[in-house]
Amino acid sequence: MDKWECPCGYVYDPEEGDLDNGIEPGTAWEDLPESWVCPLCGAEQEYFEKVD
Amino acid sequence: MFRPVTIAEGIYSVGCRDWDIRDFHGYSTDEGTTYNAFLVQGEKNILIDTVKSGFGEEMMDNISRIMDPKKIDAVISNHTEMDHSGTIPLVMHKIGEDKPLYCSKMGAKNLKSHYKKDYNYQVVGSGETVTLGNRTFSFLETRMLHWPDSMFTYMPDEKILFSSDAFGQHYAGDKFFDDEIGEEIMPHARKYYANILLHFSPRVQALLADVAKMNLDIRMICPDHGIIWRKDPAKIISAYDQWSRQEPAKKALVIFDSMWESTAKMARTITSGIESEDVHVRLMNTRKWHRSDIMTEVLDAGALAVGSPTLNNGIFPVVADVMTYIKGLRPQNKIAAAFGSYGWSGEAVKILNKEFEEMKWDMVDDGVKVLYVPDASDLARCFDLGVTLAKTLKEKLSE
């Protein structure tokens, strides 16, 4: 599963999820709820870029 | 006392005071500010952070009183914002562009975006330690406190923490240390927190927990603005702990603007209602108070009444300015109510309620709208709104 990076440097890793914000480990980027924003800086998903 | 100021053996504050600045990117700096930079002398000479562009020569003069600036061997950049990195190009030009520039991963990226230069970036991460001559530096990334590049530099032997913008204050004066200035500095530190760091409060809590776990012995904290905490660094750490918890105080604000005194009358009556319940209250007209001073009061206010007349189907522009600013700083744990007078359509209260909702503030009701000019019964509703706000806050605090 792909990792996605926020312009602030935070990387969403599907293997880890984002438990602090209710995202279970194993949640693919595509399956994140629309309301999920960067837990570090608050940016919306459209600003993220896929990590090669 | 003038710069350079000795802060420890061979360690100097070589930054500059900006006595004149009154508007720091929209934050009112009534007593100016300082751009702190630190020189660590030893077998290698290290400069930690620089000053805002325009102050470079003054910083160089400060350094020259200690040593030839050309003898600086490396620069540590804790934060890319231009008030601290603005003179990096001047310094690098003077010392040689091949000299190492230590920064975080995001720091390297951001410095490049600012200055379009491929300096000799030496990327350091949390927990990394670098020994330069007889001095050791360790690093702690503090991402989004308050930029992606932000980091702390700690000198374990000297037990000095260079904390970048954290623990800073916009203040220019002839005092350089907490023990020289005393309590007078705290309102400046508080205003700085409310306006620069509040929205990252959960990160501040996490950082304080990390620092506690690391068991760092911190003898002195040197921020990039204002005075150095040398007598009691624990004081500002515990203040940050308290502010970042965002616990509401028994205090309310009535923030408003008015076109023909109608919303003003409502605001004053709501204020009386709050006072009648023995809750501390402050009435703040958005055209009389600077947004950053309102923000400082928002920090611990438990309840807010926000009033705006309806202008051209929207909220009054000055109220919109303040609300946009407050919203960006994401204050939590607030009880709120909207009010305002209107002529025909009256959208302002609805718009304010939506803002409250987006900020997850608890609204006591739908607010009070008054057509043109409030009469006695309208004002009675305003008084009751103040009472309800105050009572709701007291109930919340007693839980």
Side-chain angles (χ1 to χ4, degrees):
Chain A
M1 284 194 284
D2 295 317
K3 293 179 186 178
W4 286 70
E5 185 172 358
C6 178
C8 80
Y10 170 84
V11 175
Y12 177 74
D13 180 348
E15 280 183 28
E16 287 177 20
D18 174 20
L19 276 174
D20 288 345
N21 295 293
I23 307 297
E24 292 294 324
T27 306
W29 173 259
E30 294 73 20
D31 297 331
L32 285 172
E34 241 174 74
S35 58
W36 184 87
V37 294
C38 174
L40 207 49
C41 79
E44 291 176 3
Q45 291 169 37
E46 62 179 286
Y47 300 101
F48 281 64
E49 281 181 12
K50 200 193 284 188
V51 180
D52 294 325
Chain B
M1 199 191 293
F2 69 102
R3 306 242 169 159
V5 178
T6 304
I7 60 173
E9 205 191 330
I11 304 178
Y12 308 90
S13 180
V14 293
C16 304
R17 281 171 285 187
D18 189 344
W19 300 94
D20 289 344
I21 191 168
R22 290 294 177 270
D23 182 335
F24 190 97
H25 62 45
Y27 172 138
S28 67
T29 45
D30 302 334
E31 292 189 48
T33 191
T34 45
Y35 312 114
N36 293 339
F38 303 96
L39 179 71
V40 179
Q41 241 190 338
E43 289 165 17
K44 298 275 186 189
N45 302 305
I46 316 300
L47 183 65
I48 303 177
D49 287 327
T50 69
V51 294
K52 189 173 154 182
S53 169
F55 290 83
E57 291 305 324
E58 189 183 330
M59 182 186 75
M60 288 300 184
D61 282 350
N62 290 338
I63 296 171
S64 299
R65 292 196 193 105
I66 306 160
M67 54 167 256
D68 178 358
K70 288 198 187 80
K71 289 183 178 157
I72 292 171
D73 296 288
V75 175
I76 296 172
S77 170
N78 279 330
H79 181 24
T80 310
E81 200 168 5
M82 284 181 273
D83 46 339
H84 309 299
S85 72
T87 312
I88 283 182
L90 178 75
V91 172
M92 297 313 284
H93 178 71
K94 212 150 234 178
I95 69 174
E97 295 194 349
D98 57 330
K99 293 283 170 65
L101 174 51
Y102 292 89
C103 56
S104 64
K105 180 183 153 204
M106 294 306 289
K109 200 173 159 187
N110 292 352
L111 284 168
K112 207 172 161 180
S113 297
H114 276 75
Y115 305 108
K116 324 295 178 196
K117 283 272 197 180
D118 280 311
Y119 292 121
N120 177 13
Y121 300 114
Q122 295 291 314
V123 170
V124 287
S126 276
E128 259 185 73
T129 292
V130 170
T131 300
L132 300 165
N134 56 332
R135 304 278 198 181
T136 299
F137 302 86
S138 56
F139 304 96
L140 177 65
E141 275 196 72
T142 56
R143 272 195 195 171
M144 295 320 297
L145 283 176
H146 66 120
W147 273 25
D149 44 72
S150 301
M151 70 173 192
F152 287 177
T153 297
Y154 176 66
M155 296 182 71
D157 298 328
E158 295 78 1
K159 305 182 190 343
I160 300 175
L161 180 70
F162 297 92
S163 62
S164 178
D165 275 341
F167 312 122
Q169 336 89 45
H170 284 312
Y171 163 83
D174 60 353
K175 310 286 196 296
F176 291 92
F177 297 98
D178 56 346
D179 49 291
E180 293 173 349
I181 194 164
E183 281 303 310
E184 202 187 305
I185 199 63
M186 291 314 284
H188 295 287
R190 178 191 183 81
K191 180 171 178 177
Y192 195 91
Y193 187 86
N195 284 276
I196 305 288
L197 294 160
L198 182 68
H199 48 327
F200 300 120
S201 287
R203 304 282 314 151
V204 173
Q205 280 290 316
L207 175 72
L208 294 178
D210 282 350
V211 170
K213 240 185 272 164
M214 289 158 74
N215 226 350
L216 288 187
D217 184 2
I218 300 170
R219 187 165 63 90
M220 199 186 293
I221 297 177
C222 300
D224 275 350
H225 294 287
I227 60 98
I228 290 165
W229 306 93
R230 73 173 173 192
K231 183 189 170 211
D232 190 8
K235 185 187 173 87
I236 189 66
I237 293 176
S238 94
Y240 266 50
D241 182 34
Q242 192 206 329
W243 296 332
S244 58
R245 287 177 196 277
Q246 299 206 57
E247 283 165 5
K250 198 174 131 187
K251 164 181 162 182
L253 303 179
V254 180
I255 299 168
F256 78 101
D257 214 315
S258 195
M259 293 165 70
W260 293 106
E261 275 295 297
S262 290
T263 306
K265 276 180 198 149
M266 297 172 75
R268 288 194 290 268
T269 312
I270 291 168
T271 302
S272 301
I274 294 168
E275 276 181 309
S276 74
E277 284 295 317
D278 204 22
V279 165
H280 175 59
V281 64
R282 205 150 199 182
L283 180 63
M284 305 184 98
N285 178 330
T286 58
R287 267 182 290 172
K288 307 287 180 194
W289 286 84
H290 194 274
R291 68 172 85 82
S292 56
D293 290 317
I294 294 177
M295 195 58 226
T296 310
E297 295 299 324
V298 168
L299 178 65
D300 67 345
L304 290 99
V306 183
S308 174
T310 294
L311 175 65
N312 305 330
N313 307 104
I315 58 175
F316 195 69
V318 192
V319 178
D321 170 321
V322 171
M323 285 306 286
T324 302
Y325 189 68
I326 292 176
K327 198 173 169 186
L329 289 157
R330 293 178 223 154
Q332 300 297 306
N333 299 328
K334 307 295 183 198
I335 294 164
F339 64 96
S341 116
Y342 67 103
W344 41 101
S345 56
E347 288 89 344
V349 165
K350 189 175 73 185
I351 294 169
L352 287 169
N353 281 341
K354 196 163 166 269
E355 299 275 7
F356 298 155
E357 218 177 283
E358 285 178 12
M359 288 190 282
K360 299 189 173 65
W361 290 3
D362 296 324
M363 281 177 274
V364 292
D365 61 25
D366 293 338
V368 176
K369 272 171 76 170
V370 168
L371 182 65
Y372 287 116
V373 176
D375 63 14
S377 76
D378 294 325
L379 291 178
R381 281 198 294 150
C382 289
F383 188 89
D384 289 346
L385 183 67
V387 169
T388 307
L389 255 187
K391 279 188 170 164
T392 312
L393 175 60
K394 286 195 287 188
E395 276 163 29
K396 181 177 170 179
L397 295 177
S398 66
E399 275 167 16

